[in-house]
Amino acid sequence: MTDSVKYLLPEEKMPKAWYNLAADLPEPPAPPLHPGTLKPASADDLAAIFPRAVIEQEMTTERWVDIPEPVREVYRLWRPAPLIRARRLEKALDTPARIYFKYEGVSPAGSHKPNSAVPQAFYNKQEGIKKLSTETGAGQWGCSLAFAGSLYGLEVEVYMVKISYNQKPYRRALMETYGARCIPSPSNLTAAGRAILEKTPDTNGSLGIAISEAVEVAASRPDTNYALGSVLNHVCLHQTVIGEESLLQMEMADDYPDVVIACTGGGSNFAGLAFPYVRENLKGGRQTRVVGVEPASCPTLTRGRYAYDFGDTGHLTPLMKMHTLGSTFMPPGSHAGGLRYHGMSAIVSQVKELGLMEARSYWQTECFAAAVQFARAEGIVPAPESSHAIRGAIDEALRCKAEGKAETILFNLSGHGHFDMQAYTDYFAGKLVDAPFEEAALKEALDALPQVG
Amino acid sequence: MTDSVKYLLPEEKMPKAWYNLAADLPEPPAPPLHPGTLKPASADDLAAIFPRAVIEQEMTTERWVDIPEPVREVYRLWRPAPLIRARRLEKALDTPARIYFKYEGVSPAGSHKPNSAVPQAFYNKQEGIKKLSTETGAGQWGCSLAFAGSLYGLEVEVYMVKISYNQKPYRRALMETYGARCIPSPSNLTAAGRAILEKTPDTNGSLGIAISEAVEVAASRPDTNYALGSVLNHVCLHQTVIGEESLLQMEMADDYPDVVIACTGGGSNFAGLAFPYVRENLKGGRQTRVVGVEPASCPTLTRGRYAYDFGDTGHLTPLMKMHTLGSTFMPPGSHAGGLRYHGMSAIVSQVKELGLMEARSYWQTECFAAAVQFARAEGIVPAPESSHAIRGAIDEALRCKAEGKAETILFNLSGHGHFDMQAYTDYFAGKLVDAPFEEAALKEALDALPQVG
């Protein structure tokens, strides 16, 4: 057999619980702080915008959290997701490395995001909520929440970062097909949006701004909650179904990764694949290198400061201790809109601080080159975000070739690029440029970080 | 369990042979005729543009044709494709009917077309061909051959019907990502294209014209062959993997269809799902109604004449006895570009003439309404072509409701609509209109049919 191979887990082996890494970390992440008092935020502080079940998961110290059976029923529409040994790519690279990828693009919305959108919609529906507001960068999360909302009969309102709204009309069309409303952010529908538009009417928008708008909408209406697609503990928790499945599938392949790789924006697809391997590392058995890959234009883990900061630009959210470029940092436009976030999940940040993971950054164009090489070998066209993980995996495979080492590489192909094809057209036309990083802007944003503790 | 259910066939049960309905029909289809002599075309006549193995399959009277193991290896990247019981849709329709669909959108190119693109590329590669030329309507076939070409290192040149080329830039981007060249048709690269452009410079193009261009290119270069994505016997043959899998999956579901439904353009996804059920019907056991659904704007089976006609506008191809609107008929533009073909597979036409299938037609807008209802219930956004099958299935389910009958309905969801989202945007914006059918144009085209025999 010289062809790529798909490892499909039998349905009955789909995980019955999500894994909470916080239970196993030598030091838990620092608590979130209330944006007004700067004291640790309580469950009550979050109750205005989140359902009780989600707040419990956000704060739990239990190692395992049961996946409700109705959520598993929906998961079964696309899960277990395949693990694929990319033998065609190995051959194209002429590497002794074995390259595997977990493919999350098989979900109806085309990415890993429904792993969290479905339980979030489920818990909100259970608690009588009628409507969800949210933000989206490239549109993966917005599409996923729109999909989950349509399953449970919830209204969904999505604030989409303006540059992506314009770049990716197919994402908007998908949200609308699922019955959701999609609004370019910043908008004049919220105070947070109006404030930004007044200062910078031509802004591209950012995830930080869109979060402010969505949170404001949820906080102001009793029948409306907010849903976040990454960053928070409960989102990382839901995504661990990826890594847990992959552990069983690596067993089917009679192999085990020397390195696992995922892209990092807010951190959830990375956490989903990597945290189960961090647990295995902490147990002291065979060690796996764990690598997060981020855009060089928004290098949170590699260039950010580990400090308390707001999750949004409007300073409505709690403060998290995390790697941050500063909530006032405006990342340049890029096609990997899902990675254009100034902050990082607190728990991923803590993992980084504890030395349990590595991080590296790449420019957009080198990621698209990797994406095209991958597509021509394996047939799947990746989302621009996922192309960062592919770049990382290809570079590891080329290192193995140089060193003559037959290592095992596993990466997360977090989503397909069907709704992002304009990015490929731009890439082939030579229209993608890697704008130089604005050092001065970073310094200014870091200088403006809130002074805490 | 109230949720939709996925039936996944174990990989080892993936069919090892394609099924050839011609072996079981009470009367075989009439032979193709050479376009010059109007005598039955020989294998040698086809050798200029097809590999030997494909010509053999085109003419074979064997009931079963082995699927080469290397082709099955590639199939395994996405096959067996899931069969899904659409319980959410049943609930939305409040019907006693059980609705199943076979989902072919899981292939890398997003449709059933790779089922034939992969073996065609494989056989051409085996016989030393360097390059394939082809046409594409909406782009499903072009993307699929581009994908297959990238697997085997074959150059691929796709003539894409101009209206689709302009409507569906993401399809073109996908072909280019796979390394293929995509050219709007009619083009000035071929004599056939130039002749049309001279007469009607503003034409939308048609599949008939694009076929002429692609055939001309293949016929004029020894290292280049032509690949057709539907219509011909070997394409219908390759697609039967769909129906054969579904028979096993219906068994897993402990059910059997009373009616199977697929959309018909050239006929291949219809043949793929339906022919195994036609075989079972011919055996005399439990009878299944077999229904082809076509666009009312291009109603080949419901309004065409059963007669010998050219497969293309430039009259370069052999003549086939088939249901045809006349090779000079220019179907109005529509988003279901894959169904805009003046003719029909000869074997599907013969099945229709023998009374072994039904046919019906729908307008574009009623199909989009069905597609949106389906997407909101089941999460999958269908290709505009596939929406015709969904409209048919929903109407059958509503009939069951009116009659209080708990029938079993199976349809083919031949592809997803990720690359066609502009069509949904246009639909929501009220921009899709169902142009009245041009009776005079049909009469003129039928009057111009070649006089044979």
Side-chain angles (χ1 to χ4, degrees):
Chain A
M1 168 114 45
T2 56
D3 223 311
S4 295
V5 191
K6 177 180 71 181
Y7 295 93
L8 259 187
L9 201 62
E11 235 174 46
E12 62 274 17
K13 290 210 175 170
M14 192 171 71
K16 292 194 166 61
W18 294 301
Y19 169 64
N20 177 23
L21 177 63
D24 287 321
L25 280 185
E27 286 171 53
L33 304 182
H34 188 282
T37 64
L38 299 187
K39 299 254 160 68
S42 70
D44 284 352
D45 292 335
L46 301 172
I49 57 168
F50 289 119
R52 187 193 43 74
V54 160
I55 297 169
E56 270 173 28
Q57 292 181 353
E58 186 61 24
M59 301 192 154
T60 186
T61 54
E62 294 294 319
R63 180 170 290 115
W64 297 99
V65 175
D66 285 346
I67 309 176
E69 190 48 39
V71 169
R72 293 183 79 237
E73 265 192 31
V74 177
Y75 274 1
R76 270 191 279 265
L77 288 179
W78 72 94
R79 305 208 71 86
L83 178 84
I84 296 170
R85 164 98 184 261
R87 296 187 77 140
R88 290 180 177 281
L89 179 63
E90 292 169 16
K91 204 174 153 196
L93 297 170
D94 188 26
T95 176
R98 290 179 299 280
I99 306 176
Y100 296 82
F101 63 94
K102 180 75 172 163
Y103 184 37
E104 291 292 318
V106 292
S107 81
S111 76
H112 65 294
K113 295 286 190 187
N115 295 334
S116 187
V118 169
Q120 288 195 54
F122 169 78
Y123 293 124
N124 275 291
K125 178 73 177 181
Q126 265 202 329
E127 298 186 25
I129 288 296
K130 303 283 181 236
K131 179 169 170 174
L132 294 174
S133 70
T134 196
E135 74 294 322
T136 198
Q140 286 188 340
W141 171 249
C143 291
S144 300
L145 198 69
F147 156 67
S150 80
L151 295 182
Y152 292 107
L154 293 165
E155 249 187 278
V156 173
E157 191 169 294
V158 182
Y159 291 83
M160 184 169 186
V161 175
K162 197 189 279 169
I163 185 174
S164 292
Y165 184 92
N166 292 328
Q167 275 176 343
K168 299 174 193 285
Y170 280 32
R171 290 270 182 204
R172 177 167 27 117
L174 181 58
M175 290 179 234
E176 288 171 356
T177 301
Y178 286 138
R181 185 176 175 206
C182 178
I183 299 151
S185 166
S187 78
N188 56 19
L189 299 182
T190 66
R194 286 189 296 269
I196 294 284
L197 283 174
E198 204 164 297
K199 267 200 300 194
T200 50
D202 295 331
T203 178
N204 280 333
S206 74
L207 270 168
I209 297 168
I211 292 174
S212 295
E213 295 202 82
V215 167
E216 182 183 324
V217 165
S220 64
R221 301 186 209 159
D223 66 345
T224 301
N225 264 347
Y226 169 68
L228 185 61
S230 189
V231 177
L232 294 180
N233 295 340
H234 66 274
V235 187
C236 294
L237 177 81
H238 298 154
Q239 294 295 351
T240 57
V241 66
I242 302 171
E244 295 300 336
E245 281 183 8
S246 80
L247 274 168
L248 300 172
Q249 288 165 311
M250 290 302 307
E251 221 176 284
M252 289 171 71
D254 199 18
D255 209 338
Y256 193 83
D258 296 297
V259 52
V260 300
I261 301 169
C263 66
T264 51
S268 80
N269 100 84
F270 168 82
L273 177 68
F275 281 4
Y277 292 95
V278 174
R279 173 188 70 225
E280 298 304 311
N281 282 347
L282 288 170
K283 282 184 190 164
R286 179 165 166 182
Q287 296 293 298
T288 298
R289 286 172 51 221
V290 170
V291 182
V293 183
E294 61 187 11
S297 61
C298 189
T300 319
L301 283 167
T302 52
R303 302 285 313 276
R305 187 175 298 167
Y306 185 56
Y308 268 110
D309 194 10
F310 294 95
D312 69 327
T313 308
H315 297 183
L316 302 176
T317 71
L319 289 81
M320 317 282 287
K321 191 148 185 197
M322 60 183 178
H323 290 86
T324 178
L325 303 168
S327 68
T328 56
F329 181 79
M330 184 64 61
S334 100
H335 273 287
L339 308 182
R340 267 184 82 235
Y341 183 55
H342 69 273
M344 178 52 60
S345 150
I347 187 165
V348 170
S349 293
Q350 174 72 347
V351 168
K352 176 73 167 50
E353 279 307 291
L354 291 168
L356 302 175
M357 69 174 283
E358 307 165 27
R360 72 176 70 156
S361 70
Y362 288 111
W363 294 101
Q364 184 170 221
T365 49
E366 53 190 341
C367 294
F368 273 100
V372 170
Q373 183 170 32
F374 178 80
R376 291 183 184 175
E378 297 295 327
I380 300 170
V381 176
E385 290 79 9
S386 316
S387 73
H388 290 70
I390 297 175
R391 177 77 270 163
I394 288 180
D395 280 5
E396 287 291 328
L398 293 176
R399 175 189 58 74
C400 288
K401 181 179 175 179
E403 297 175 358
K405 285 186 182 160
E407 291 183 18
T408 299
I409 299 164
L410 166 63
F411 72 90
N412 197 25
L413 187 56
S414 53
H416 63 60
H418 298 175
F419 302 104
D420 310 292
M421 295 307 296
Q422 185 60 45
Y424 284 87
T425 300
D426 290 351
Y427 172 69
F428 288 125
K431 284 190 196 157
L432 291 191
V433 272
D434 296 321
F437 187 71
E438 293 179 41
E439 299 288 346
L442 174 61
K443 185 173 180 306
E444 195 180 322
L446 290 176
D447 286 347
L449 278 174
Q451 301 301 316
V452 176
Chain B
M1 168 113 47
T2 56
D3 224 311
S4 295
V5 192
K6 176 179 71 180
Y7 296 94
L8 259 188
L9 202 62
E11 234 175 46
E12 62 273 18
K13 290 208 172 171
M14 192 171 71
K16 294 195 165 61
W18 295 300
Y19 169 63
N20 177 24
L21 177 62
D24 287 320
L25 281 185
E27 287 171 52
L33 305 182
H34 188 283
T37 65
L38 299 188
K39 299 253 161 70
S42 70
D44 285 351
D45 292 334
L46 301 173
I49 57 169
F50 290 119
R52 186 191 44 72
V54 160
I55 297 169
E56 268 173 31
Q57 292 181 353
E58 185 62 24
M59 301 192 155
T60 184
T61 54
E62 294 294 319
R63 180 169 291 115
W64 297 100
V65 175
D66 285 347
I67 308 177
E69 190 49 39
V71 169
R72 293 183 78 238
E73 264 191 34
V74 177
Y75 274 181
R76 269 191 280 263
L77 288 179
W78 72 95
R79 307 207 70 86
L83 177 84
I84 295 170
R85 165 94 184 264
R87 296 188 77 140
R88 291 180 176 279
L89 179 64
E90 292 168 16
K91 204 174 154 199
L93 297 170
D94 189 26
T95 176
R98 291 180 298 281
I99 306 176
Y100 296 82
F101 64 94
K102 180 76 172 163
Y103 185 36
E104 291 292 318
V106 292
S107 80
S111 77
H112 65 294
K113 295 287 189 186
N115 295 334
S116 186
V118 170
Q120 288 195 53
F122 169 78
Y123 293 125
N124 275 291
K125 179 74 177 182
Q126 265 201 327
E127 299 186 24
I129 288 296
K130 303 282 180 237
K131 180 168 170 173
L132 295 174
S133 70
T134 195
E135 74 293 322
T136 199
Q140 286 187 340
W141 172 249
C143 292
S144 301
L145 197 69
F147 156 67
S150 79
L151 295 182
Y152 293 106
L154 292 166
E155 247 187 278
V156 174
E157 191 167 296
V158 182
Y159 291 83
M160 184 170 188
V161 175
K162 197 189 279 168
I163 184 172
S164 292
Y165 184 90
N166 292 328
Q167 277 175 342
K168 298 173 194 285
Y170 280 32
R171 290 273 183 201
R172 179 169 25 118
L174 181 59
M175 290 180 234
E176 288 170 356
T177 301
Y178 287 138
R181 183 175 175 207
C182 179
I183 300 150
S185 164
S187 77
N188 57 19
L189 300 182
T190 66
R194 287 189 295 270
I196 294 283
L197 284 174
E198 203 164 298
K199 266 201 301 193
T200 52
D202 295 331
T203 179
N204 279 331
S206 73
L207 271 169
I209 297 168
I211 292 173
S212 294
E213 294 203 81
V215 167
E216 183 183 322
V217 165
S220 64
R221 299 187 211 158
D223 66 345
T224 301
N225 264 347
Y226 169 68
L228 185 61
S230 189
V231 177
L232 294 180
N233 295 340
H234 66 275
V235 186
C236 294
L237 177 82
H238 298 155
Q239 293 296 349
T240 58
V241 67
I242 302 172
E244 295 300 337
E245 281 182 8
S246 81
L247 274 167
L248 300 172
Q249 288 164 311
M250 289 303 306
E251 222 175 284
M252 288 171 72
D254 198 19
D255 208 338
Y256 193 83
D258 296 298
V259 52
V260 301
I261 301 169
C263 66
T264 51
S268 80
N269 98 86
F270 168 82
L273 178 68
F275 281 6
Y277 292 95
V278 174
R279 172 188 71 223
E280 298 304 310
N281 283 346
L282 288 170
K283 282 184 188 164
R286 179 166 168 182
Q287 295 295 296
T288 298
R289 286 172 51 221
V290 170
V291 182
V293 182
E294 61 187 10
S297 60
C298 190
T300 320
L301 284 166
T302 52
R303 303 285 314 276
R305 187 175 296 167
Y306 185 57
Y308 268 110
D309 194 9
F310 294 95
D312 70 327
T313 308
H315 296 182
L316 301 176
T317 71
L319 288 81
M320 317 281 287
K321 190 147 186 198
M322 62 183 176
H323 291 86
T324 178
L325 302 167
S327 67
T328 57
F329 180 78
M330 183 65 61
S334 101
H335 273 288
L339 309 182
R340 269 183 83 234
Y341 183 56
H342 70 274
M344 178 53 58
S345 148
I347 187 165
V348 170
S349 293
Q350 173 74 346
V351 167
K352 176 74 165 51
E353 278 307 290
L354 291 169
L356 302 174
M357 70 174 283
E358 307 165 28
R360 72 177 68 157
S361 71
Y362 288 110
W363 293 102
Q364 184 170 219
T365 50
E366 53 190 342
C367 294
F368 273 99
V372 170
Q373 183 169 32
F374 178 81
R376 291 184 184 175
E378 297 294 328
I380 300 170
V381 176
E385 290 79 9
S386 315
S387 73
H388 289 70
I390 298 176
R391 177 78 268 162
I394 288 180
D395 280 6
E396 288 291 328
L398 293 176
R399 175 189 58 74
C400 287
K401 181 180 177 179
E403 297 175 357
K405 285 186 182 160
E407 292 183 17
T408 299
I409 299 164
L410 166 62
F411 72 90
N412 197 26
L413 188 56
S414 53
H416 63 59
H418 299 176
F419 302 104
D420 310 292
M421 296 307 294
Q422 185 60 44
Y424 284 87
T425 300
D426 290 350
Y427 171 69
F428 289 126
K431 285 192 196 158
L432 291 190
V433 273
D434 296 320
F437 187 72
E438 294 178 42
E439 300 288 345
L442 175 60
K443 186 173 179 307
E444 195 180 321
L446 290 176
D447 286 348
L449 278 174
Q451 300 301 314
V452 176

